[in-house]
Amino acid sequence: EQQLKAVSTKLTEANIQSRHYFKPSLDQIFTDSNSYNSTNSIYAAQKVLCLPLHAYMTIKDVNFVVENLKKNL
């Protein structure tokens, strides 16, 4: 999670928006519901970073994001 924060900070400095996928894990929000050992959900909430994705991204935009990711991983 520390690496995720560091990469997200570097992307922000390059004017690239990113965020945690879902934080906290949804099974931790709805505590009155049955929990089914949601280890995948917990893992994703801690480890997955959402990157820009939209219909108007150019190849140049994609390459810019990829190059910044490579540089900061």
Coordinates of all heavy atoms in Angstrom, one line a residue:
E1 N 0.8 -1.2 0.0 CA 0.0 0.0 0.0 C 0.9 1.3 0.0 O 0.5 2.3 -0.6 CB -0.9 0.0 1.2 CG -2.0 1.0 1.1 CD -3.1 0.9 2.1 OE1 -3.1 0.0 2.9 OE2 -4.0 1.8 2.1
Q2 N 2.0 1.2 0.6 CA 2.9 2.3 0.6 C 3.4 2.6 -0.8 O 3.5 3.8 -1.2 CB 4.1 2.0 1.6 CG 4.8 3.2 2.0 CD 5.8 2.9 3.2 OE1 6.3 1.7 3.3 NE2 6.1 3.8 4.0
Q3 N 3.8 1.6 -1.6 CA 4.2 1.8 -2.9 C 3.1 2.4 -3.8 O 3.3 3.3 -4.6 CB 4.7 0.5 -3.6 CG 5.2 0.7 -5.0 CD 5.6 -0.6 -5.7 OE1 5.2 -1.6 -5.3 NE2 6.4 -0.5 -6.7
L4 N 1.9 2.0 -3.5 CA 0.7 2.5 -4.2 C 0.5 4.0 -4.0 O 0.3 4.8 -4.9 CB -0.6 1.7 -3.8 CG -1.8 2.1 -4.5 CD1 -2.2 1.0 -5.5 CD2 -3.0 2.3 -3.5
K5 N 0.7 4.4 -2.7 CA 0.6 5.8 -2.4 C 1.7 6.6 -3.1 O 1.5 7.7 -3.6 CB 0.7 6.0 -0.9 CG -0.6 5.6 -0.2 CD -0.5 5.8 1.3 CE -1.7 5.2 2.0 NZ -1.6 5.4 3.5
A6 N 2.9 6.1 -3.1 CA 4.1 6.7 -3.7 C 3.9 6.9 -5.2 O 4.1 8.0 -5.7 CB 5.4 6.0 -3.4
V7 N 3.4 5.9 -5.9 CA 3.2 5.9 -7.3 C 2.1 6.9 -7.6 O 2.2 7.7 -8.5 CB 2.9 4.5 -7.9 CG1 2.4 4.6 -9.3 CG2 4.1 3.6 -7.8
S8 N 1.0 6.9 -6.8 CA -0.1 7.8 -7.0 C 0.3 9.3 -6.8 O -0.1 10.1 -7.6 CB -1.2 7.5 -6.0 OG -2.3 8.3 -6.2
T9 N 1.2 9.5 -5.9 CA 1.7 10.9 -5.7 C 2.5 11.3 -6.9 O 2.4 12.4 -7.4 CB 2.6 10.9 -4.4 OG1 1.7 10.6 -3.3 CG2 3.2 12.3 -4.2
K10 N 3.4 10.4 -7.4 CA 4.2 10.8 -8.6 C 3.3 11.0 -9.8 O 3.6 11.9 -10.6 CB 5.2 9.7 -8.9 CG 6.3 9.6 -7.8 CD 7.2 10.8 -7.9 CE 8.4 10.7 -7.0 NZ 9.2 11.9 -7.0
L11 N 2.3 10.2 -10.0 CA 1.4 10.4 -11.1 C 0.6 11.8 -10.9 O 0.5 12.5 -11.9 CB 0.3 9.3 -11.2 CG 0.9 7.9 -11.6 CD1 -0.2 6.9 -11.5 CD2 1.5 8.0 -12.9
T12 N 0.2 12.1 -9.7 CA -0.4 13.4 -9.5 C 0.5 14.6 -9.9 O 0.1 15.5 -10.5 CB -0.9 13.5 -8.0 OG1 -1.8 12.5 -7.8 CG2 -1.5 14.9 -7.8
E13 N 1.8 14.4 -9.5 CA 2.8 15.4 -9.8 C 2.9 15.6 -11.4 O 3.3 16.7 -11.8 CB 4.1 15.1 -9.2 CG 4.2 15.2 -7.7 CD 5.4 14.7 -7.1 OE1 6.3 14.3 -7.8 OE2 5.5 14.7 -5.8
A14 N 2.7 14.5 -12.1 CA 2.7 14.6 -13.6 C 1.4 14.9 -14.2 O 1.2 14.8 -15.4 CB 3.2 13.2 -14.1
N15 N 0.4 15.4 -13.3 CA -0.9 15.7 -13.7 C -1.7 14.5 -14.3 O -2.5 14.7 -15.3 CB -0.9 16.9 -14.7 CG -2.2 17.7 -14.8 OD1 -2.9 17.7 -13.8 ND2 -2.5 18.2 -15.9
I16 N -1.5 13.4 -13.7 CA -2.2 12.2 -14.1 C -3.1 11.8 -12.9 O -2.6 11.5 -11.8 CB -1.3 11.0 -14.5 CG1 -0.4 11.4 -15.7 CG2 -2.0 9.7 -14.8 CD1 0.7 10.4 -15.9
Q17 N -4.4 11.7 -13.1 CA -5.3 11.3 -12.0 C -5.2 9.8 -11.8 O -5.2 9.1 -12.7 CB -6.7 11.8 -12.3 CG -6.9 13.3 -12.3 CD -8.3 13.6 -12.6 OE1 -9.1 12.8 -13.2 NE2 -8.7 14.9 -12.3
S18 N -5.3 9.4 -10.5 CA -5.4 8.0 -10.1 C -6.0 8.0 -8.8 O -6.1 9.0 -8.1 CB -4.0 7.4 -10.1 OG -3.2 8.0 -9.1
R19 N -6.5 6.8 -8.4 CA -7.1 6.6 -7.1 C -7.1 5.1 -6.7 O -6.9 4.3 -7.6 CB -8.5 7.2 -7.0 CG -9.5 6.4 -7.9 CD -10.9 6.9 -7.7 NE -11.8 6.2 -8.5 CZ -12.3 5.0 -8.3 NH1 -12.0 4.3 -7.2 NH2 -13.2 4.4 -9.1
H20 N -7.3 4.9 -5.4 CA -7.5 3.5 -5.0 C -8.7 2.9 -5.7 O -9.7 3.7 -5.9 CB -7.7 3.4 -3.5 CG -6.5 3.3 -2.7 ND1 -5.9 4.4 -2.1 CD2 -5.7 2.3 -2.4 CE1 -4.8 4.1 -1.4 NE2 -4.7 2.8 -1.6
Y21 N -8.7 1.7 -6.0 CA -9.9 1.0 -6.6 C -11.1 1.2 -5.8 O -12.0 1.9 -6.1 CB -9.6 -0.4 -6.9 CG -10.7 -1.2 -7.6 CD1 -11.1 -0.7 -8.8 CD2 -11.2 -2.3 -7.0 CE1 -12.2 -1.4 -9.5 CE2 -12.2 -3.0 -7.7 CZ -12.7 -2.5 -8.9 OH -13.7 -3.2 -9.5
F22 N -11.2 0.6 -4.7 CA -12.2 0.8 -3.7 C -11.5 0.8 -2.3 O -10.9 -0.2 -2.0 CB -13.3 -0.3 -3.7 CG -14.3 -0.2 -4.8 CD1 -14.2 -1.1 -5.8 CD2 -15.2 0.8 -4.8 CE1 -15.1 -1.0 -6.9 CE2 -16.2 0.9 -5.8 CZ -16.1 0.0 -6.9
K23 N -11.6 1.8 -1.6 CA -11.1 1.8 -0.2 C -12.0 2.5 0.7 O -12.4 3.7 0.4 CB -9.7 2.5 -0.2 CG -9.0 2.4 1.1 CD -7.6 2.9 1.0 CE -7.0 2.7 2.4 NZ -5.7 3.3 2.5
P24 N -12.4 1.8 1.7 CA -12.1 0.5 2.1 C -12.9 -0.6 1.3 O -13.8 -0.2 0.5 CB -12.5 0.4 3.6 CG -13.7 1.4 3.7 CD -13.4 2.5 2.7
S25 N -12.6 -1.8 1.5 CA -13.3 -2.9 0.9 C -14.8 -2.8 1.2 O -15.1 -2.5 2.4 CB -12.7 -4.2 1.3 OG -13.5 -5.3 0.8
L26 N -15.6 -3.0 0.3 CA -17.1 -2.8 0.5 C -17.6 -3.7 1.6 O -18.6 -3.4 2.3 CB -17.9 -3.1 -0.8 CG -17.6 -2.0 -1.9 CD1 -18.4 -2.4 -3.1 CD2 -17.9 -0.6 -1.4
D27 N -17.0 -4.9 1.8 CA -17.5 -5.8 2.9 C -17.2 -5.2 4.2 O -17.8 -5.6 5.2 CB -16.9 -7.2 2.8 CG -15.4 -7.2 3.0 OD1 -14.7 -6.4 2.4 OD2 -14.9 -8.0 3.8
Q28 N -16.3 -4.2 4.3 CA -16.0 -3.6 5.6 C -16.9 -2.4 5.9 O -17.0 -1.9 7.0 CB -14.5 -3.2 5.6 CG -13.6 -4.4 5.6 CD -12.2 -4.0 5.5 OE1 -11.8 -2.8 5.2 NE2 -11.3 -5.0 5.7
I29 N -17.6 -2.0 4.9 CA -18.6 -0.8 5.0 C -19.9 -1.3 5.5 O -20.5 -0.8 6.4 CB -18.8 -0.1 3.7 CG1 -17.5 0.6 3.3 CG2 -19.9 0.9 3.8 CD1 -17.5 1.3 2.0
F30 N -20.4 -2.4 4.9 CA -21.7 -3.0 5.2 C -21.5 -4.0 6.3 O -21.7 -5.2 6.1 CB -22.4 -3.6 4.0 CG -22.6 -2.5 2.9 CD1 -21.8 -2.6 1.8 CD2 -23.5 -1.6 3.0 CE1 -21.9 -1.6 0.8 CE2 -23.7 -0.6 2.1 CZ -22.9 -0.6 0.9
T31 N -21.2 -3.6 7.5 CA -20.9 -4.5 8.6 C -22.1 -5.3 9.1 O -21.9 -6.3 9.8 CB -20.2 -3.7 9.8 OG1 -21.1 -2.7 10.2 CG2 -18.9 -3.2 9.3
D32 N -23.3 -4.8 8.8 CA -24.5 -5.5 9.3 C -24.9 -6.7 8.4 O -25.8 -7.5 8.7 CB -25.7 -4.6 9.5 CG -26.1 -3.8 8.3 OD1 -25.2 -3.7 7.4 OD2 -27.2 -3.3 8.2
S33 N -24.2 -6.8 7.3 CA -24.4 -7.9 6.3 C -23.5 -9.1 6.6 O -22.5 -8.9 7.3 CB -24.2 -7.4 4.9 OG -25.1 -6.4 4.6
N34 N -23.9 -10.3 6.1 CA -23.0 -11.4 6.3 C -21.7 -11.2 5.5 O -21.7 -10.7 4.4 CB -23.7 -12.7 5.7 CG -24.8 -13.1 6.6 OD1 -24.9 -12.8 7.7 ND2 -25.8 -13.9 6.0
S35 N -20.6 -11.6 6.1 CA -19.3 -11.5 5.5 C -18.9 -12.9 5.0 O -19.1 -13.9 5.7 CB -18.3 -10.9 6.4 OG -17.0 -10.9 5.8
Y36 N -18.4 -13.0 3.8 CA -18.1 -14.3 3.3 C -16.6 -14.4 3.0 O -16.1 -14.8 1.9 CB -18.8 -14.5 2.0 CG -20.3 -14.6 2.3 CD1 -21.1 -13.5 2.0 CD2 -20.9 -15.7 2.8 CE1 -22.5 -13.6 2.2 CE2 -22.3 -15.8 3.1 CZ -23.1 -14.7 2.8 OH -24.4 -14.8 3.0
N37 N -15.8 -14.0 4.0 CA -14.3 -14.1 3.9 C -13.9 -13.5 2.5 O -13.3 -14.1 1.7 CB -13.8 -15.5 4.0 CG -12.3 -15.6 4.2 OD1 -11.7 -14.6 4.5 ND2 -11.8 -16.8 4.0
S38 N -14.0 -12.2 2.4 CA -13.8 -11.4 1.2 C -12.3 -11.0 1.0 O -12.0 -9.9 0.9 CB -14.7 -10.2 1.1 OG -16.0 -10.6 1.3
T39 N -11.5 -12.0 1.0 CA -10.0 -11.7 0.9 C -9.7 -11.1 -0.4 O -8.8 -10.2 -0.4 CB -9.2 -13.0 1.1 OG1 -9.6 -14.0 0.2 CG2 -9.3 -13.5 2.5
N40 N -10.3 -11.4 -1.5 CA -10.0 -10.8 -2.8 C -10.4 -9.3 -2.8 O -9.7 -8.5 -3.3 CB -10.7 -11.5 -3.9 CG -10.1 -12.9 -4.2 OD1 -9.0 -13.2 -3.9 ND2 -10.9 -13.7 -4.8
S41 N -11.5 -9.0 -2.2 CA -12.0 -7.7 -2.1 C -11.1 -6.8 -1.2 O -10.7 -5.7 -1.6 CB -13.4 -7.6 -1.5 OG -13.8 -6.3 -1.3
I42 N -10.6 -7.4 -0.1 CA -9.7 -6.7 0.8 C -8.4 -6.5 0.1 O -7.8 -5.4 0.1 CB -9.5 -7.5 2.1 CG1 -10.8 -7.5 2.9 CG2 -8.4 -6.9 2.9 CD1 -10.9 -8.5 4.0
Y43 N -7.9 -7.5 -0.6 CA -6.6 -7.3 -1.4 C -6.7 -6.2 -2.4 O -5.9 -5.4 -2.6 CB -6.3 -8.7 -2.1 CG -5.0 -8.6 -2.9 CD1 -3.8 -8.7 -2.3 CD2 -5.1 -8.4 -4.2 CE1 -2.6 -8.7 -3.0 CE2 -3.9 -8.3 -5.0 CZ -2.7 -8.5 -4.4 OH -1.5 -8.4 -5.1
A44 N -7.8 -6.2 -3.2 CA -8.0 -5.2 -4.3 C -8.1 -3.8 -3.7 O -7.5 -2.9 -4.2 CB -9.3 -5.5 -5.1
A45 N -8.7 -3.7 -2.5 CA -8.9 -2.4 -1.9 C -7.5 -1.8 -1.5 O -7.3 -0.6 -1.5 CB -9.8 -2.5 -0.7
Q46 N -6.6 -2.7 -1.2 CA -5.2 -2.3 -0.7 C -4.2 -2.2 -1.9 O -3.3 -1.4 -1.8 CB -4.7 -3.3 0.3 CG -5.5 -3.4 1.6 CD -5.0 -4.5 2.4 OE1 -4.3 -5.4 2.0 NE2 -5.5 -4.5 3.7
K47 N -4.4 -2.9 -3.0 CA -3.4 -3.0 -4.0 C -3.7 -2.5 -5.3 O -2.8 -2.3 -6.1 CB -3.0 -4.5 -4.1 CG -2.6 -5.2 -2.9 CD -1.2 -4.8 -2.4 CE -0.8 -5.6 -1.2 NZ 0.5 -5.2 -0.8
V48 N -4.9 -2.2 -5.7 CA -5.3 -1.8 -7.0 C -5.4 -0.3 -7.2 O -6.1 0.3 -6.4 CB -6.6 -2.5 -7.5 CG1 -7.0 -2.1 -8.9 CG2 -6.4 -4.0 -7.4
L49 N -4.7 0.2 -8.2 CA -4.7 1.6 -8.5 C -5.5 1.9 -9.8 O -5.2 1.2 -10.8 CB -3.3 2.2 -8.6 CG -3.1 3.6 -8.8 CD1 -3.6 4.4 -7.6 CD2 -1.7 4.0 -9.1
C50 N -6.5 2.7 -9.8 CA -7.2 3.0 -11.0 C -6.5 4.1 -11.7 O -6.0 5.1 -11.2 CB -8.6 3.6 -10.6 SG -9.7 2.3 -10.0
L51 N -6.4 3.9 -13.0 CA -5.7 4.8 -13.9 C -6.7 5.5 -14.9 O -7.8 5.0 -15.0 CB -4.6 4.0 -14.7 CG -3.6 3.4 -13.9 CD1 -2.7 2.5 -14.8 CD2 -2.7 4.4 -13.1
P52 N -6.3 6.5 -15.5 CA -7.2 7.2 -16.5 C -7.6 6.2 -17.6 O -6.8 5.5 -18.1 CB -6.4 8.3 -17.1 CG -5.3 8.6 -16.1 CD -5.0 7.2 -15.4
L53 N -8.9 6.3 -17.9 CA -9.5 5.5 -19.0 C -10.7 6.2 -19.5 O -11.7 6.3 -18.7 CB -9.8 4.1 -18.5 CG -10.4 3.2 -19.5 CD1 -9.5 2.9 -20.7 CD2 -10.9 1.9 -18.9
H54 N -10.7 6.7 -20.7 CA -11.9 7.2 -21.3 C -11.8 7.2 -22.8 O -10.8 7.0 -23.4 CB -12.2 8.7 -20.7 CG -11.0 9.6 -21.0 ND1 -10.8 10.3 -22.2 CD2 -10.0 10.0 -20.1 CE1 -9.7 11.0 -22.1 NE2 -9.2 10.9 -20.9
A55 N -12.9 7.5 -23.4 CA -13.0 7.3 -24.9 C -12.2 8.4 -25.6 O -11.9 8.2 -26.8 CB -14.5 7.5 -25.3
Y56 N -11.8 9.4 -25.0 CA -11.0 10.5 -25.7 C -9.5 10.4 -25.4 O -8.8 11.4 -25.9 CB -11.6 11.9 -25.3 CG -13.1 12.0 -25.7 CD1 -14.1 11.9 -24.7 CD2 -13.5 12.1 -27.0 CE1 -15.4 12.0 -25.0 CE2 -14.8 12.2 -27.3 CZ -15.8 12.1 -26.3 OH -17.1 12.2 -26.7
M57 N -9.1 9.4 -24.8 CA -7.6 9.3 -24.6 C -7.0 8.9 -25.9 O -7.4 8.1 -26.7 CB -7.3 8.2 -23.6 CG -7.5 8.6 -22.2 SD -6.9 7.3 -21.0 CE -5.1 7.6 -21.1
T58 N -5.9 9.7 -26.2 CA -5.1 9.4 -27.4 C -4.0 8.4 -27.1 O -3.7 8.1 -25.9 CB -4.5 10.7 -28.0 OG1 -3.6 11.1 -27.0 CG2 -5.6 11.7 -28.3
I59 N -3.4 7.9 -28.2 CA -2.3 7.0 -28.0 C -1.2 7.7 -27.2 O -0.5 7.2 -26.4 CB -1.8 6.4 -29.3 CG1 -2.8 5.5 -29.9 CG2 -0.4 5.7 -29.2 CD1 -3.2 4.3 -29.1
K60 N -1.0 9.0 -27.5 CA 0.0 9.9 -26.9 C -0.3 9.9 -25.4 O 0.6 9.8 -24.5 CB 0.0 11.3 -27.5 CG 1.0 12.2 -26.9 CD 1.0 13.5 -27.6 CE 2.0 14.5 -27.0 NZ 1.9 15.8 -27.6
D61 N -1.6 10.1 -25.0 CA -2.0 10.1 -23.6 C -1.7 8.8 -22.9 O -1.1 8.8 -21.8 CB -3.5 10.3 -23.4 CG -4.0 11.7 -23.9 OD1 -3.1 12.7 -23.9 OD2 -5.1 11.8 -24.3
V62 N -2.0 7.7 -23.6 CA -1.8 6.3 -23.0 C -0.3 6.2 -22.8 O 0.2 5.7 -21.7 CB -2.3 5.2 -23.9 CG1 -1.9 3.9 -23.4 CG2 -3.8 5.3 -24.0
N63 N 0.5 6.5 -23.8 CA 2.0 6.4 -23.7 C 2.5 7.2 -22.5 O 3.5 6.8 -21.8 CB 2.7 6.7 -25.0 CG 2.5 5.7 -26.0 OD1 2.2 4.5 -25.7 ND2 2.5 6.1 -27.3
F64 N 2.0 8.4 -22.3 CA 2.4 9.3 -21.2 C 2.2 8.7 -19.9 O 3.0 8.7 -19.0 CB 1.7 10.7 -21.4 CG 2.1 11.6 -20.3 CD1 3.3 12.2 -20.3 CD2 1.2 12.0 -19.3 CE1 3.7 13.2 -19.4 CE2 1.6 12.9 -18.3 CZ 2.8 13.5 -18.4
V65 N 1.0 8.1 -19.7 CA 0.6 7.4 -18.5 C 1.6 6.2 -18.3 O 2.2 6.0 -17.2 CB -0.8 6.9 -18.5 CG1 -1.1 6.0 -17.3 CG2 -1.8 8.1 -18.5
V66 N 1.8 5.4 -19.3 CA 2.6 4.2 -19.2 C 4.0 4.6 -18.9 O 4.7 3.9 -18.0 CB 2.5 3.4 -20.5 CG1 3.6 2.3 -20.5 CG2 1.2 2.8 -20.7
E67 N 4.6 5.6 -19.5 CA 6.0 6.0 -19.3 C 6.1 6.5 -17.8 O 7.1 6.2 -17.2 CB 6.4 7.0 -20.3 CG 6.6 6.5 -21.7 CD 7.6 5.3 -21.7 OE1 8.6 5.3 -21.1 OE2 7.2 4.3 -22.4
N68 N 5.1 7.2 -17.3 CA 5.2 7.7 -15.9 C 5.1 6.5 -15.0 O 5.8 6.5 -13.9 CB 4.1 8.7 -15.7 CG 4.6 10.1 -16.0 OD1 5.3 10.7 -15.2 ND2 4.3 10.5 -17.3
L69 N 4.3 5.5 -15.3 CA 4.2 4.3 -14.4 C 5.5 3.6 -14.4 O 6.0 3.2 -13.3 CB 3.1 3.4 -14.9 CG 1.7 3.7 -14.5 CD1 0.7 2.8 -15.2 CD2 1.6 3.5 -13.0
K70 N 6.1 3.4 -15.6 CA 7.4 2.7 -15.6 C 8.4 3.4 -14.8 O 9.3 2.8 -14.1 CB 7.8 2.5 -17.1 CG 7.1 1.5 -17.9 CD 7.7 1.6 -19.3 CE 7.2 0.6 -20.2 NZ 7.8 0.7 -21.6
K71 N 8.5 4.7 -14.9 CA 9.5 5.5 -14.3 C 9.3 5.4 -12.7 O 10.3 5.5 -12.0 CB 9.4 6.9 -14.8 CG 10.4 7.9 -14.3 CD 10.4 9.2 -15.0 CE 9.1 9.8 -15.2 NZ 9.1 11.2 -15.7
N72 N 8.1 5.2 -12.3 CA 7.9 5.3 -10.8 C 7.6 4.0 -10.1 O 7.3 3.9 -9.0 CB 6.7 6.3 -10.6 CG 7.1 7.7 -10.9 OD1 8.0 8.2 -10.3 ND2 6.5 8.3 -12.0
L73 N 7.7 2.9 -10.9 CA 7.5 1.6 -10.2 C 8.8 1.0 -9.8 O 9.8 1.2 -10.3 CB 6.8 0.6 -11.2 CG 5.3 0.8 -11.4 CD1 4.8 -0.1 -12.4 CD2 4.6 0.7 -10.1

